[in-house]
Amino acid sequence: MTDLAHLKFYATQPHQCSYLPDEQAVTLFLDPHQRIDDHTYSRLSELGFRRSGEHLYRPHCGQCQACIPARIPVADFTPSSQQQRIYKRNRDLQVETIRPLMTDEIYQLYARYIKARHADGDMYPPSQEQFRSFLVSQDDFCEFNTFRLDGRLLAVAVTDRLGNGLSAVYTFFDPGESRRSLGRYAILWQIEEARRAGLPAIYLGYWIRNCRKMSYKTEYRPLEMLVNQRWIRIT
């Protein structure tokens, strides 16, 4: 990764971990003055970096190594019987890819989702400023994929389209449509979209063994995890 040697990074002071309440976390950020282009972002994603708003980051904790980057190698992915049912259940949805923006319709869906699913987390209560700073980026690689049923917005998958894959940044959806499993369907749709685009992987962010909200990521097999700076395949 010698082509990244010129980049500067900054570490935060220890702070309470968002996922493991008994742990202190340290986060490593790319210098915010560094322009995030597709090449830099792609290479850093291979090292476990993620995007939040205008920032690229990864955990940099001294004693805890619980956050493990995970990605799906899409060429080898085979859906389970349950995933096939989820896919069929949502084939009546219309998907449109748009530039990132905050409309009233999109924000209201986001706010309902946070209130219903994450009222116990640090994203509650939702706000428009939080939405903008977290999800809206003007970079060319960022897109909103909207899922609609007869015009009604049911879900939005925020996705970064990179040279080495799609990065699934965040998905929010109508909490009243639990039967559809929209969060899981959004990942299945992104897998198929990566295949259509000839991209090799879906980057899912971090998997944490003791975090229940992260457990869904191991449902997608094979899965690759970044352990000791090497991507290890789990079948």
Side-chain angles (χ1 to χ4, degrees), residues 9 11-12 14 21 23 27 37 43 50 59 92 122 138 150 153 165 169 194 196 209 230 233-234:
F9 299 89
T12 66
E23 298 288 345
T27 305
D37 57 32
R43 299 302 295 276
R50 295 281 286 166
D92 56 346
D122 56 8
Q138 298 309 309
D150 298 328
L153 183 66
V169 176
R196 284 191 290 270
R209 181 185 298 276
R230 292 181 57 211
R233 180 167 294 199
I234 299 168

Short mmCIF file of all heavy atoms in Angstrom, two decimals, residues 9 11-12 14 21 23 27 37 43 50 59 92 122 138 150 153 165 169 194 196 209 230 233-234:
data_model
loop_
_atom_site.label_atom_id
_atom_site.label_comp_id
_atom_site.label_asym_id
_atom_site.label_seq_id
_atom_site.Cartn_x
_atom_site.Cartn_y
_atom_site.Cartn_z
N PHE A 9 -3.24 10.66 9.13
CA PHE A 9 -4.35 10.16 9.92
C PHE A 9 -4.28 10.75 11.33
O PHE A 9 -3.19 11.08 11.82
CB PHE A 9 -4.31 8.62 10.00
CG PHE A 9 -4.42 7.95 8.66
CD1 PHE A 9 -3.29 7.68 7.91
CD2 PHE A 9 -5.66 7.60 8.15
CE1 PHE A 9 -3.39 7.06 6.67
CE2 PHE A 9 -5.77 6.99 6.91
CZ PHE A 9 -4.63 6.73 6.17
N ALA A 11 -5.91 10.19 15.39
CA ALA A 11 -6.63 9.33 16.34
C ALA A 11 -7.36 10.18 17.37
O ALA A 11 -6.83 11.19 17.84
CB ALA A 11 -5.66 8.37 17.03
N THR A 12 -8.56 9.76 17.71
CA THR A 12 -9.33 10.46 18.75
C THR A 12 -8.83 10.08 20.13
O THR A 12 -8.07 9.11 20.29
CB THR A 12 -10.82 10.09 18.66
OG1 THR A 12 -10.97 8.70 19.00
CG2 THR A 12 -11.38 10.34 17.27
N PRO A 14 -9.68 8.41 23.79
CA PRO A 14 -10.60 7.32 24.15
C PRO A 14 -11.99 7.84 24.51
O PRO A 14 -12.12 8.88 25.16
CB PRO A 14 -9.92 6.68 25.37
CG PRO A 14 -8.46 7.01 25.20
CD PRO A 14 -8.44 8.39 24.60
N PRO A 21 -20.69 -1.39 25.56
CA PRO A 21 -20.75 -0.31 26.55
C PRO A 21 -19.68 -0.36 27.63
O PRO A 21 -19.39 0.66 28.26
CB PRO A 21 -22.15 -0.47 27.16
CG PRO A 21 -22.57 -1.86 26.83
CD PRO A 21 -21.91 -2.20 25.53
N GLU A 23 -16.54 -0.96 27.05
CA GLU A 23 -15.24 -0.73 26.44
C GLU A 23 -15.04 0.74 26.08
O GLU A 23 -15.99 1.47 25.82
CB GLU A 23 -15.10 -1.57 25.16
CG GLU A 23 -15.16 -3.07 25.36
CD GLU A 23 -13.91 -3.61 26.03
OE1 GLU A 23 -12.89 -2.88 26.08
OE2 GLU A 23 -13.95 -4.77 26.49
N THR A 27 -10.76 5.99 17.64
CA THR A 27 -11.07 5.96 16.22
C THR A 27 -9.96 6.65 15.44
O THR A 27 -9.50 7.73 15.83
CB THR A 27 -12.42 6.64 15.94
OG1 THR A 27 -13.43 6.04 16.74
CG2 THR A 27 -12.80 6.51 14.47
N ASP A 37 -10.94 10.58 -2.93
CA ASP A 37 -11.27 10.17 -4.29
C ASP A 37 -11.53 8.67 -4.31
O ASP A 37 -11.30 7.96 -3.32
CB ASP A 37 -10.17 10.57 -5.27
CG ASP A 37 -8.81 10.00 -4.89
OD1 ASP A 37 -8.74 8.89 -4.31
OD2 ASP A 37 -7.79 10.66 -5.17
N ARG A 43 -8.75 1.77 -1.79
CA ARG A 43 -7.61 1.15 -1.14
C ARG A 43 -7.79 1.12 0.37
O ARG A 43 -7.45 0.13 1.03
CB ARG A 43 -6.32 1.91 -1.50
CG ARG A 43 -6.00 1.92 -2.97
CD ARG A 43 -5.86 0.52 -3.57
NE ARG A 43 -4.72 -0.22 -3.03
CZ ARG A 43 -3.48 -0.13 -3.44
NH1 ARG A 43 -3.17 0.71 -4.42
NH2 ARG A 43 -2.52 -0.86 -2.90
N ARG A 50 -14.16 2.82 6.80
CA ARG A 50 -15.55 3.08 6.45
C ARG A 50 -15.75 4.57 6.30
O ARG A 50 -14.91 5.37 6.73
CB ARG A 50 -16.49 2.57 7.56
CG ARG A 50 -16.47 1.09 7.76
CD ARG A 50 -17.30 0.39 6.72
NE ARG A 50 -18.74 0.58 6.97
CZ ARG A 50 -19.68 0.30 6.08
NH1 ARG A 50 -19.35 -0.12 4.88
NH2 ARG A 50 -20.96 0.44 6.38
N PRO A 59 -11.80 1.66 13.53
CA PRO A 59 -11.44 1.53 14.95
C PRO A 59 -9.93 1.37 15.10
O PRO A 59 -9.26 0.77 14.27
CB PRO A 59 -12.18 0.25 15.38
CG PRO A 59 -13.29 0.10 14.40
CD PRO A 59 -12.76 0.62 13.11
N ASP A 92 -41.76 -7.07 -5.94
CA ASP A 92 -42.72 -6.07 -6.40
C ASP A 92 -42.24 -4.64 -6.14
O ASP A 92 -42.94 -3.68 -6.49
CB ASP A 92 -44.08 -6.29 -5.72
CG ASP A 92 -44.00 -6.28 -4.19
OD1 ASP A 92 -42.88 -6.37 -3.65
OD2 ASP A 92 -45.06 -6.19 -3.55
N ASP A 122 -26.90 5.87 20.32
CA ASP A 122 -26.42 7.25 20.30
C ASP A 122 -26.92 8.03 19.09
O ASP A 122 -26.60 9.20 18.92
CB ASP A 122 -24.90 7.30 20.38
CG ASP A 122 -24.22 6.49 19.28
OD1 ASP A 122 -24.93 6.02 18.37
OD2 ASP A 122 -22.99 6.33 19.34
N GLN A 138 -21.58 14.79 -1.16
CA GLN A 138 -21.61 15.25 -2.56
C GLN A 138 -20.57 14.55 -3.42
O GLN A 138 -20.42 14.85 -4.60
CB GLN A 138 -21.41 16.77 -2.61
CG GLN A 138 -22.51 17.54 -1.91
CD GLN A 138 -23.90 17.11 -2.36
OE1 GLN A 138 -24.18 17.06 -3.55
NE2 GLN A 138 -24.77 16.82 -1.40
N ASP A 150 -45.51 0.97 -5.38
CA ASP A 150 -46.55 1.84 -5.96
C ASP A 150 -46.35 3.29 -5.56
O ASP A 150 -47.29 4.01 -5.21
CB ASP A 150 -47.93 1.36 -5.51
CG ASP A 150 -48.23 -0.05 -5.98
OD1 ASP A 150 -47.75 -0.42 -7.07
OD2 ASP A 150 -48.95 -0.78 -5.26
N LEU A 153 -42.45 5.23 -0.48
CA LEU A 153 -41.07 4.96 -0.10
C LEU A 153 -41.03 4.00 1.09
O LEU A 153 -41.56 4.31 2.15
CB LEU A 153 -40.35 6.26 0.25
CG LEU A 153 -38.86 6.13 0.60
CD1 LEU A 153 -38.06 5.67 -0.62
CD2 LEU A 153 -38.33 7.47 1.13
N GLY A 165 -15.73 -2.44 -5.31
CA GLY A 165 -16.96 -2.98 -4.75
C GLY A 165 -17.93 -1.90 -4.33
O GLY A 165 -17.69 -0.71 -4.53
N VAL A 169 -23.19 1.59 3.24
CA VAL A 169 -22.98 2.57 4.32
C VAL A 169 -24.06 2.47 5.38
O VAL A 169 -23.78 2.35 6.58
CB VAL A 169 -22.92 4.00 3.74
CG1 VAL A 169 -22.79 5.03 4.86
CG2 VAL A 169 -21.76 4.12 2.77
N ALA A 194 -23.89 -5.30 -7.54
CA ALA A 194 -22.45 -5.43 -7.70
C ALA A 194 -22.13 -6.41 -8.83
O ALA A 194 -21.22 -6.18 -9.64
CB ALA A 194 -21.80 -5.88 -6.40
N ARG A 196 -24.02 -7.07 -11.42
CA ARG A 196 -24.36 -6.43 -12.70
C ARG A 196 -23.26 -5.46 -13.14
O ARG A 196 -22.98 -5.31 -14.33
CB ARG A 196 -25.69 -5.69 -12.58
CG ARG A 196 -26.91 -6.58 -12.59
CD ARG A 196 -28.18 -5.77 -12.74
NE ARG A 196 -28.48 -5.00 -11.55
CZ ARG A 196 -29.23 -5.43 -10.53
NH1 ARG A 196 -29.75 -6.66 -10.57
NH2 ARG A 196 -29.47 -4.67 -9.48
N ARG A 209 -18.64 -9.86 17.50
CA ARG A 209 -19.19 -11.12 18.00
C ARG A 209 -20.25 -10.89 19.09
O ARG A 209 -21.31 -11.54 19.08
CB ARG A 209 -18.08 -12.01 18.55
CG ARG A 209 -18.56 -13.36 19.06
CD ARG A 209 -17.44 -14.13 19.70
NE ARG A 209 -16.38 -14.42 18.77
CZ ARG A 209 -16.38 -15.46 17.94
NH1 ARG A 209 -17.41 -16.31 17.93
NH2 ARG A 209 -15.38 -15.65 17.12
N ARG A 230 -5.21 -9.49 6.92
CA ARG A 230 -5.46 -10.42 5.82
C ARG A 230 -6.96 -10.74 5.77
O ARG A 230 -7.59 -10.94 6.81
CB ARG A 230 -4.68 -11.73 6.02
CG ARG A 230 -3.18 -11.60 5.89
CD ARG A 230 -2.51 -12.95 6.09
NE ARG A 230 -3.02 -13.92 5.12
CZ ARG A 230 -3.11 -15.22 5.37
NH1 ARG A 230 -2.78 -15.72 6.57
NH2 ARG A 230 -3.58 -16.04 4.45
N ARG A 233 -11.48 -16.04 4.48
CA ARG A 233 -12.82 -16.45 4.03
C ARG A 233 -13.46 -17.42 5.02
O ARG A 233 -12.82 -18.37 5.47
CB ARG A 233 -12.76 -17.08 2.65
CG ARG A 233 -14.11 -17.53 2.13
CD ARG A 233 -14.10 -17.85 0.66
NE ARG A 233 -13.85 -16.66 -0.16
CZ ARG A 233 -14.17 -16.59 -1.47
NH1 ARG A 233 -14.71 -17.62 -2.08
NH2 ARG A 233 -13.92 -15.49 -2.15
N ILE A 234 -14.75 -17.16 5.31
CA ILE A 234 -15.54 -18.03 6.17
C ILE A 234 -16.68 -18.59 5.32
O ILE A 234 -17.44 -17.83 4.73
CB ILE A 234 -16.10 -17.27 7.38
CG1 ILE A 234 -14.95 -16.70 8.21
CG2 ILE A 234 -16.99 -18.15 8.24
CD1 ILE A 234 -15.40 -15.70 9.25
#
